[in-house]
Amino acid sequence: MSTPVLATKGLTKYFYDPVKFQVLKAIDMAIESGEFVSIVGKSGCGKSTLLYLLSTMDTDYEGQLFMNNELITGKTDKELAQIRNEKIGFVFQFHYLLSEYNVLRNVMLPGLKLNKLSEEEVEHHAMQHLKTLDMQEQALKMPNQLSGGQKQRVAIARALINNPLIIMGDEPTGNLDKKNSDLVFDIFNELTQEQKQTLLIVTHDSDFAERTHRTITMQDGKIIS
């Protein structure tokens, strides 16, 4: 058996506003290397909350979280920030590109922050990812000169810059029309097939979810299938 890229044991989460409410109930799950997994369920079922815990951005939970068999639960904020930058790529519904930087610089930023390669090397990798996503011609443009679909492709290039263990997406096609949603799906699919990239995507889009390798369905804070 291979080591799961990501695994949880008894992951449980409460909200306390205004009364104690259990939002996640003893979640056990594992994501294998190279899998393209979607998480679906009605609004309020806990899927975005789960992604937030898996991404280490929320540490207020019960249970355990593992990444590559390493226990992540209990690590310091500084250690978690390093794990996020090095091992997790993020793609959100809104691209969160920084308006003061051009496309190339936006893609480079997490690589510069990680500080493992020279600026020239990071720039080279950034251009390679932009080429993969057919965005090299836009490298010197500013984000406000791009369409919504182009911005999301830049966000995917940025998520790839540090060669992450896993890419997590929260409704990455939620703001896109059908044509661009299909394009983003095809990019993700290609990443898993050609680069064995692991992907975990929360989505409302049933068409998107049906085409992933595996769909995790949530209801009332539990995984039901």
Side-chain angles (χ1 to χ4, degrees):
M1 279 293 287
S2 63
T3 301
V5 165
L6 193 69
T8 67
K9 283 185 184 163
L11 210 60
T12 298
K13 169 80 181 170
Y14 293 94
F15 286 154
Y16 294 94
D17 188 22
V19 291
K20 188 175 178 182
F21 169 71
Q22 190 172 8
V23 65
L24 293 176
K25 300 165 184 171
I27 301 276
D28 292 333
M29 63 181 283
I31 309 294
E32 301 295 333
S33 179
E35 262 197 308
F36 183 2
V37 181
S38 52
I39 302 179
V40 300
K42 288 180 179 157
S43 288
C45 70
K47 57 188 187 299
S48 288
T49 302
L50 174 61
L51 195 73
Y52 218 56
L53 297 187
L54 298 176
S55 71
T56 78
M57 287 197 269
D58 183 355
T59 55
D60 180 20
Y61 60 83
E62 295 169 14
Q64 293 176 310
L65 172 62
F66 298 88
M67 212 168 273
N68 257 5
N69 256 4
E70 181 189 1
L71 181 64
I72 300 300
T73 307
K75 287 193 179 290
T76 65
D77 287 346
K78 191 179 173 190
E79 287 170 323
L80 292 176
Q82 179 74 8
I83 286 167
R84 278 195 297 277
N85 200 28
E86 197 170 336
K87 295 192 161 62
I88 306 173
F90 295 100
V91 185
F92 300 99
Q93 179 171 354
F94 303 100
H95 46 80
Y96 296 116
L97 300 180
L98 297 177
S99 59
E100 64 268 33
Y101 295 117
N102 67 21
V103 162
L104 180 61
R105 195 75 184 174
N106 264 286
V107 175
M108 289 171 65
L109 287 172
L112 296 172
K113 188 178 170 194
L114 190 61
N115 203 18
K116 284 199 167 177
L117 301 171
S118 70
E119 186 161 341
E120 290 74 22
E121 287 172 307
V122 173
E123 183 174 320
H124 174 73
H125 286 307
M127 276 307 291
Q128 291 305 112
H129 289 308
L130 286 170
K131 271 187 190 143
T132 302
L133 298 168
D134 199 22
M135 286 295 291
Q136 70 273 22
E137 304 290 325
Q138 320 297 330
L140 300 180
K141 286 190 177 174
M142 302 305 279
N144 66 357
Q145 296 174 285
L146 304 181
S147 70
Q150 287 176 320
K151 286 173 184 169
Q152 204 55 308
R153 277 190 272 168
V154 175
I156 294 168
R158 180 182 58 191
L160 288 166
I161 192 68
N162 289 337
N163 195 21
L165 198 59
I166 187 167
I167 287 181
M168 296 185 184
D170 192 5
E171 302 284 358
T173 59
N175 244 17
L176 302 176
D177 59 21
K178 175 85 170 79
K179 182 175 169 240
N180 280 302
S181 294
D182 286 345
L183 186 70
V184 167
F185 178 88
D186 291 342
I187 290 165
F188 285 157
N189 207 31
E190 219 165 90
L191 289 172
T192 48
Q193 288 178 347
E194 293 179 12
Q195 298 178 30
K196 300 289 177 271
Q197 181 67 60
T198 310
L199 290 153
L200 180 63
I201 309 292
V202 163
T203 183
H204 269 107
D205 184 342
S206 54
D207 183 47
F208 184 103
E210 277 164 15
R211 292 182 288 162
T212 60
H213 297 167
R214 178 159 66 99
T215 302
I216 293 170
T217 305
M218 290 186 67
Q219 188 180 316
D220 300 330
K222 295 196 288 276
I223 289 175
I224 57 168
S225 69

